Amino acid sequence: MNAMKRGIVLFLLAALTLSSCGPYSYTLTMEMRQPSKSGLDLDRKSFAVACLNDGDAADSAFIMSVSEGFARSLEEEYFAGEPVIGIYTIGKTPGADYSSRDSVMNVLLDTGSDVVFIFDSPDLEKATLSAPQAVAKPVVRDSAYLVEASVPFSLRLYVYDSMNPDDKVLVYTGKSVAKPVAYTDGFQPDSVVLARAMASLSAPGLETGEISGGPFLPQWQAESFSFTYYDSEPWIEAVIAAHEYRWSDAIGQWIKLSDTGNMQRRSCAAYNLALTFHILDQQQIAKEWLDVSDSTYPLHLSYDLRKKIEAKLKK
């Protein structure tokens, strides 16, 4: 936070303290991570992505690219872009049911992950070619024209979250059209151009995978949290630290402030610690600090916070 914004926060807090002797309440509004559109809460879990190889070169190349794009979209959101999601290829056995719990459980155990996503081999339909489009400045002779292929396809994705109380395999399906491109000199037969286009399925595969990851990305929702404080510098500094998301500083300050013989102040500091650990999704520690607050000097803010903590602990 720059000096001007920090000054504004200090001014507002100081102005509030003129109205009474405390404790006071400071409301912080921030975006909080919510479960994905799929209904799965995937935060703080490990993932693995697998794809089934049916032996067809085009199918295998496409679904591998889909898996890579899918993993990349999840890594971007859950792991700050770090390449931590393993991608596995599984030889497909004809007639096997890969949507069964036993099948996905075997993959889950092999990967050692909390959640496994399995892409079935794709169903690529007959491709069609567009009319050749002249390239303005071809690099070589056989790239004088560009042709776009249209390849309709359908996908099936099996998802199993070992920490989901429902304990079932979720199945997702989708259809779209891949648009790989190929270059030609304008005289090559369609069969050659089509083969070139089919060998370029990786780019639309990556894009398809990134789109497929959308339903599993977290949603964000604005929530408001009320911290308590008193009209003294240590309390105000702790609230400013929370306002700036410097949670370690705020926690350290409130732990010091909880060491007091004043029961009301001790309770307020413990409540703030409970609220902070709830925001950081450390619900068991949050509950322990809220127990301290309630047993010391019950606050009216405690009831709603306890409901939120207990709801998180049940997941």
Side-chain angles (χ1 to χ4, degrees):
M1 176 183 286
N2 61 38
M4 180 177 291
K5 289 184 178 179
R6 183 182 178 88
I8 291 172
V9 174
L10 279 168
F11 174 78
L12 291 174
L13 291 175
L16 288 173
T17 62
L18 297 177
S19 59
S20 77
C21 352
Y24 312 98
S25 177
Y26 175 73
T27 300
L28 173 65
T29 300
M30 58 188 296
E31 294 287 319
M32 295 294 292
R33 192 192 299 265
Q34 304 295 326
S36 64
K37 290 181 180 178
S38 69
L40 296 176
D41 189 349
L42 302 176
D43 194 26
R44 300 178 184 273
K45 296 177 183 178
S46 59
F47 309 144
V49 178
C51 56
L52 302 182
N53 185 344
D54 62 3
D56 182 89
D59 287 359
S60 300
F62 181 67
I63 204 62
M64 186 62 186
S65 296
V66 170
S67 300
E68 291 174 359
F70 183 87
R72 183 184 301 172
S73 69
L74 269 60
E75 287 169 342
E76 190 67 30
E77 188 67 35
Y78 290 103
F79 305 103
E82 292 293 320
V84 298
I85 300 177
I87 301 177
Y88 304 83
T89 301
I90 302 172
K92 186 174 182 178
T93 302
D97 180 10
Y98 290 93
S99 67
S100 70
R101 184 181 180 281
D102 288 343
S103 294
V104 296
M105 183 61 75
N106 288 335
V107 178
L108 185 85
L109 294 175
D110 288 342
T111 62
S113 60
D114 298 323
V115 185
V116 64
F117 302 89
I118 303 175
F119 282 98
D120 206 335
S121 55
D123 181 11
L124 301 180
E125 300 180 20
K126 185 177 180 179
T128 58
L129 298 175
S130 69
Q133 301 293 320
V135 177
K137 295 181 179 180
V139 179
V140 294
R141 182 183 175 187
D142 66 355
S143 65
Y145 294 90
L146 177 69
V147 175
E148 182 181 76
S150 294
V151 188
F153 67 87
S154 58
L155 294 177
R156 288 176 65 84
L157 172 63
Y158 313 124
V159 183
Y160 182 72
D161 179 357
S162 62
M163 302 171 73
N164 184 359
D166 291 342
D167 192 30
K168 64 181 181 181
V169 180
L170 303 178
V171 180
Y172 299 86
T173 61
K175 293 183 178 181
S176 190
V177 179
K179 301 280 189 177
V181 299
Y183 290 93
T184 175
D185 61 8
F187 298 100
Q188 291 153 330
D190 285 352
S191 59
V192 173
V193 178
L194 180 59
R196 288 183 177 179
M198 295 301 286
S200 303
L201 277 170
S202 60
L206 286 170
E207 182 180 4
T208 298
E210 291 176 356
I211 294 172
S212 299
F216 304 99
L217 302 183
Q219 302 180 89
W220 294 89
Q221 180 178 327
E223 288 191 41
S224 295
F225 303 97
S226 295
F227 292 91
T228 60
Y229 72 100
Y230 288 83
D231 57 345
S232 66
E233 185 175 347
W235 285 91
I236 292 176
E237 286 295 331
V239 170
I240 290 175
H243 180 87
E244 297 175 353
Y245 305 153
R246 292 186 287 109
W247 299 116
S248 294
D249 293 341
I251 288 170
Q253 190 73 284
W254 281 321
I255 287 177
K256 292 178 183 178
L257 292 169
S258 68
D259 186 16
T260 175
N262 185 308
M263 295 295 99
Q264 188 182 54
R265 294 194 174 211
R266 182 169 187 263
S267 177
C268 287
Y271 169 83
N272 287 345
L273 286 163
L275 181 55
T276 300
F277 284 112
H278 169 66
I279 292 172
L280 297 176
D281 200 22
Q282 299 182 42
Q283 306 303 331
Q284 186 56 46
I285 301 177
K287 180 180 181 299
E288 291 170 4
W289 276 110
L290 193 58
D291 288 343
V292 171
S293 176
D294 284 350
S295 63
T296 303
Y297 187 102
L299 303 175
H300 73 278
L301 294 169
S302 173
Y303 178 74
D304 286 339
L305 179 57
R306 185 169 295 278
K307 285 199 303 182
K308 293 177 180 179
I309 293 173
E310 290 178 350
K312 287 280 189 178
L313 287 172
K314 290 178 181 178
K315 292 184 178 181

